[in-house]
Amino acid sequence: MSEEISVHVSEGNDTHMKSDLGLVHMKIQELVQTLVRYKDEPREKTRSEYLDELVDNIIIYYEYNRDLAAYLASFFPPAELVEFLEANQTPRPMVIRTNTLKTKRRELAQSLIQKGVNLDPVGEWSKVGLKIIESQVPIGATTEYLAGHYMLQSASSFLPVMALAPKPGERILDMCAAPGGKTTHIGQLMKNTGVLVANEMNKDRLISIKGNVHRLGITNCIITNYDGRKIGKVLNGFDRVLLDAPCSGLGVIWKDQSVKAMRTTEDIKKNSHIQKELLLEAIDVVNARSSTGGYIVYSTCSISIEENEEVISYALKNRHVKIVDTGLTIGEPGLPKFKGKIFHPSMTKCKRIYPHVYNMEGFFVCKLKKYDNEIPQEASKPHSGEKREKAKKQKTEDSDMEIEEEKVEIEEENEQWSQEKKQKEKDKKDAKRKKLMENTYENEELENLVHDLKEKSKKEKRNKKEKKDKKHEKEVKEEKSDKQSFGDLDINIGDKNAEKKSKKNKNEAKEIKKPKEEELSKPKGKKSVEKEQEISDEEVIEKKKTKKGKAKAEKTHEVEEDNENEESLPVKRKHKEDSSKLKKKRKSEDS
């Protein structure tokens, strides 16, 4: 039950996705129509905004990465862009090439039809190609295939060999030969005469060349394993060279769908650099004075400008070559200008094959004729016979020596420059470190100076405080001693006054007693009694006064003792004055 549910869910998701993709496809069609009629009707958005929207929908529907989708959108008009993308979704028809060394196309077609193969000629432009429409047997496993009667090969790959037009008895180089389809085609056109060199840099791919060469019966072929960019050091003097250069494969996306996601414009630029190096080497190994040749054919399975027209334009500027007619009756002309880039007018002699136009793999084919062996910007002197060969050898040796010397000089300069750079960096670092050390040292000195100043100020404050405290203590001690001395003086004065007063009172009492006694001894009258009474009253008053004076003196003494720590010198003076006044008062009272 759960399996059934999962199946239904997945089916529902598929239908939902299909409906979404259908909407996206409809949107693409609408955008294409809008862009086609953009000039005729007023629009809300700009053309570039509509193109960006188209690219976004192409990414979703056709699963291209943004970089490649934008590149293709800039290359093709909107309507043709969709046709090209749709052509890349479907496979190209299977095509075989008849090996005329072993059979004829009519005989091969008859034998295959007898085995249940439905086929047609590939086109009027080819006399050896057959297009397989339907087959009941595997085409790569028939007795005819194993016997070498035909080669499984794309129709577009016939074109570079047809443009090269090899002749019997020539020396021909296939610079990038794997898997051997073009090599064997050249061999059959040469009718196994002359010398055919099949070179391949990748050692693992040499097996496929070897197998096809043996199966198809090519006997004039030599297989080599060199880097095509340096093959001139080993082999040269060819009549014709075929360079089917490694490329981005933008013309055969149906074969490898990973190109959609993986290929970028950066890859195209890298390939373009390698292609330029290979083409210059291919031109250099061709003999311009060949009686039958002096031709170079350059081809790629890409539609990009950077890998095709730009590479040819580079070769025209750096070597003595010119573009000649390919002799092909199929294909679109090359582009003489593209996005502000203007190429040589003869670029139209090149051929471009588009998959949506010819139902073949995308291809580019250009045929060059070398008219001088010398490299431009170098002095060339006419030579003949052995002298020319010797001069050429000498020149190559001298150029090699110069190149090596230049390389050594460049390496030495680079080494010197790197050492100088390292030294400068080291000096810079040392200077920075020194400056940092100086700054840190200065900062430390400043910090120490500030610390010393702070300590000094603290010490000065401490000393001032100590001096102040000592001075205050001294003053307090002095005040205390002064107060004590004044207090003792007052006490002595008070005691002496009290003694004097007591003596005086005693004497007065005696003096009073004497007349009293005398009066007592006399007879007392009325007046005498009154007088005694007055005297007794006066004595009582006097006693009271003396008691009050003593109490007052004691009180003043207590007050002086309480204010002993608070009084200053002016207070002491005042106290003296008060004591003197008190004494005068007492004297007056006594009197």
Side-chain angles (χ1 to χ4, degrees):
M1 184 70 181
S2 61
E3 287 177 3
E4 288 177 6
I5 290 164
S6 64
V7 167
H8 289 311
V9 169
S10 64
E11 284 176 359
N13 289 335
D14 289 342
T15 54
H16 183 64
M17 285 175 71
K18 283 177 182 177
S19 64
D20 288 347
L21 287 172
L23 290 169
V24 172
H25 190 259
M26 285 173 66
K27 183 68 176 174
I28 289 168
Q29 296 297 330
E30 286 175 12
L31 288 166
V32 168
Q33 292 300 318
T34 304
L35 288 164
V36 168
R37 298 172 186 169
Y38 186 79
K39 290 181 180 179
D40 300 334
E41 299 175 14
R43 302 291 174 185
E44 295 176 358
K45 299 177 185 177
T46 61
R47 187 178 177 83
S48 61
E49 287 175 339
Y50 281 117
L51 277 170
D52 291 338
E53 197 174 344
L54 179 63
V55 167
D56 292 336
N57 285 281
I58 284 166
I59 291 163
I60 296 164
Y61 189 76
Y62 294 104
E63 298 178 337
Y64 282 78
N65 68 66
R66 183 168 292 279
D67 192 24
L68 186 57
Y71 180 82
L72 293 172
S74 67
F75 187 83
F76 290 108
E80 194 175 356
L81 171 65
V82 173
E83 290 175 7
F84 174 77
L85 297 173
E86 287 291 340
N88 289 335
Q89 297 294 101
T90 55
R92 305 280 78 77
M94 186 184 289
V95 176
I96 60 173
R97 175 179 55 80
T98 309
N99 182 13
T100 55
L101 293 174
K102 292 190 175 184
T103 187
K104 293 179 180 179
R105 186 169 71 167
R106 186 182 294 175
E107 293 172 0
L108 177 63
Q110 286 173 357
S111 62
L112 289 174
I113 288 166
Q114 288 172 5
K115 290 184 177 180
V117 179
N118 186 9
L119 49 80
D120 277 329
V122 74
E124 292 180 2
W125 54 271
S126 175
K127 294 178 181 179
V128 292
L130 289 169
K131 182 168 63 176
I132 308 299
I133 298 165
E134 191 180 359
S135 176
Q136 295 177 4
V137 293
I139 299 299
T142 62
T143 52
E144 287 80 7
Y145 176 81
L146 296 172
H149 289 187
Y150 63 89
M151 176 78 180
L152 275 166
Q153 193 175 350
S154 67
S156 296
S157 60
F158 293 6
L159 302 177
V161 179
M162 290 169 67
L164 186 68
K167 298 188 183 304
E170 289 184 330
R171 293 184 72 219
I172 296 173
L173 170 65
D174 186 358
M175 192 175 271
C176 303
K182 297 179 189 68
T183 303
T184 53
H185 193 183
I186 293 166
Q188 80 179 45
L189 290 175
M190 293 175 73
K191 298 177 181 178
N192 276 336
T193 61
V195 178
L196 172 60
V197 177
N199 181 68
E200 176 56 45
M201 188 178 78
N202 189 347
K203 199 171 184 178
D204 296 333
R205 301 187 74 188
L206 295 174
I207 297 164
S208 61
I209 301 171
K210 186 179 177 181
N212 286 319
V213 164
H214 282 301
R215 186 172 60 81
L216 274 78
I218 308 298
T219 58
N220 65 336
C221 182
I222 300 167
I223 301 168
T224 59
N225 177 220
Y226 295 112
D227 183 352
R229 294 168 294 181
K230 299 173 184 177
I231 199 167
K233 292 180 180 179
V234 184
L235 301 166
N236 52 36
F238 292 98
D239 297 308
R240 298 169 198 261
V241 173
L242 172 63
L243 173 57
D244 185 34
C247 63
S248 59
L250 296 183
V252 289
I253 293 171
W254 74 271
K255 280 185 181 179
D256 185 7
Q257 294 291 315
S258 66
V259 171
K260 294 179 181 180
M262 304 300 291
R263 196 73 71 229
T264 62
T265 52
E266 193 64 31
D267 298 327
I268 293 168
K269 287 175 184 176
K270 286 178 183 176
N271 287 330
S272 177
H273 177 70
I274 294 165
Q275 288 156 356
K276 286 171 184 175
E277 290 180 320
L278 285 167
L279 183 54
L280 291 184
E281 193 67 17
I283 293 165
D284 291 341
V285 298
V286 169
N287 182 13
R289 292 177 177 81
S290 170
S291 56
T292 58
Y295 294 102
I296 305 100
V297 170
Y298 174 81
S299 65
T300 64
C301 55
S302 174
I303 54 136
S304 69
I305 293 288
E306 291 82 0
E307 294 178 282
N308 298 317
E309 279 86 354
E310 280 192 17
V311 175
I312 299 300
S313 180
Y314 178 80
L316 293 174
K317 290 173 184 175
N318 290 277
R319 292 293 185 272
H320 292 298
V321 290
K322 60 181 180 180
I323 301 171
V324 294
D325 189 41
T326 56
L328 301 173
T329 58
I330 188 172
E332 302 292 315
L335 302 175
K337 58 182 179 179
F338 180 76
K339 279 190 175 181
K341 295 175 182 177
I342 298 169
F343 305 114
H344 197 274
S346 62
M347 202 69 74
T348 52
K349 292 179 180 178
C350 304
K351 291 293 181 181
R352 278 181 163 272
I353 309 297
Y354 296 114
H356 60 282
V357 177
Y358 297 101
N359 197 21
M360 294 161 61
E361 282 81 356
F363 239 79
F364 175 85
V365 181
C366 178
K367 189 173 185 179
L368 299 169
K369 168 68 175 173
K370 186 177 180 180
Y371 57 86
D372 196 346
N373 286 324
E374 298 298 326
I375 296 169
Q377 287 90 33
E378 284 191 8
S380 58
K381 294 179 182 180
H383 296 285
S384 61
E386 293 178 1
K387 286 185 178 180
R388 186 182 289 113
E389 290 295 324
K390 285 180 181 179
K392 190 177 179 181
K393 284 181 182 178
Q394 188 64 37
K395 197 170 186 179
T396 51
E397 287 174 4
D398 292 342
S399 63
D400 290 340
M401 286 287 288
E402 283 174 6
I403 289 163
E404 286 177 5
E405 285 173 2
E406 282 177 6
K407 281 181 181 178
V408 170
E409 284 177 5
I410 289 163
E411 285 174 1
E412 286 176 356
E413 284 175 3
N414 289 336
E415 194 174 349
Q416 190 177 353
W417 180 77
S418 62
Q419 285 177 358
E420 285 175 1
K421 194 177 179 183
K422 284 178 183 177
Q423 189 64 36
K424 280 180 183 177
E425 287 176 357
K426 193 178 178 183
D427 294 341
K428 205 173 182 181
K429 284 180 183 178
D430 291 340
K432 277 186 181 178
R433 199 181 291 110
K434 194 176 180 182
K435 198 172 183 181
L436 191 67
M437 290 291 286
E438 285 174 0
N439 289 336
T440 51
Y441 181 69
E442 284 174 6
N443 291 334
E444 284 176 3
E445 281 187 343
L446 285 169
E447 285 175 4
N448 292 332
L449 188 64
V450 170
H451 185 265
D452 292 342
L453 288 168
K454 283 181 180 178
E455 289 292 323
K456 197 174 181 182
S457 64
K458 282 180 183 178
K459 200 171 182 182
E460 285 175 359
K461 283 180 182 178
R462 208 181 297 116
N463 291 336
K464 280 181 182 179
K465 195 175 180 184
E466 286 175 359
K467 282 179 182 179
K468 199 173 181 182
D469 292 342
K470 282 180 181 178
K471 193 175 182 182
H472 183 66
E473 285 175 5
K474 195 175 181 182
E475 286 175 357
V476 169
K477 281 180 182 179
E478 285 176 358
E479 284 175 7
K480 279 185 180 180
S481 63
D482 290 343
K483 283 178 185 177
Q484 195 171 359
S485 60
F486 282 122
D488 294 341
L489 186 65
D490 291 340
I491 290 162
N492 291 332
I493 291 163
D495 292 342
K496 284 176 182 180
N497 290 334
E499 283 176 5
K500 282 179 181 180
K501 202 169 186 181
S502 62
K503 281 180 182 180
K504 194 176 182 182
N505 290 333
K506 282 178 182 179
N507 292 331
E508 285 176 357
K510 281 179 182 180
E511 287 176 359
I512 292 164
K513 279 179 182 180
K514 280 179 182 180
K516 277 184 180 180
E517 287 174 356
E518 287 175 358
E519 284 178 1
L520 285 169
S521 61
K522 288 179 180 181
K524 293 178 183 179
K526 195 176 181 181
K527 288 181 178 179
S528 62
V529 171
E530 288 174 358
K531 198 174 183 182
E532 283 176 6
Q533 189 67 36
E534 285 175 6
I535 289 161
S536 62
D537 289 338
E538 285 175 1
E539 284 176 358
V540 170
I541 290 159
E542 190 69 33
K543 282 179 183 178
K544 282 180 181 179
K545 283 180 178 179
T546 53
K547 282 179 182 179
K548 282 179 181 178
K550 281 180 182 179
K552 201 170 186 181
E554 286 172 1
K555 199 173 183 182
T556 52
H557 185 64
E558 286 172 4
V559 169
E560 285 170 1
E561 283 179 351
D562 290 335
N563 297 330
E564 191 175 5
N565 295 327
E566 296 175 3
E567 284 180 345
S568 57
L569 289 169
V571 175
K572 289 174 187 176
R573 288 193 195 109
K574 194 177 180 183
H575 181 69
K576 281 182 182 180
E577 289 172 2
D578 290 340
S579 61
S580 62
K581 281 179 183 180
L582 187 65
K583 284 175 186 178
K584 284 178 183 178
K585 195 176 182 183
R586 283 175 184 168
K587 280 181 183 181
S588 63
E589 284 175 358
D590 291 340
S591 62

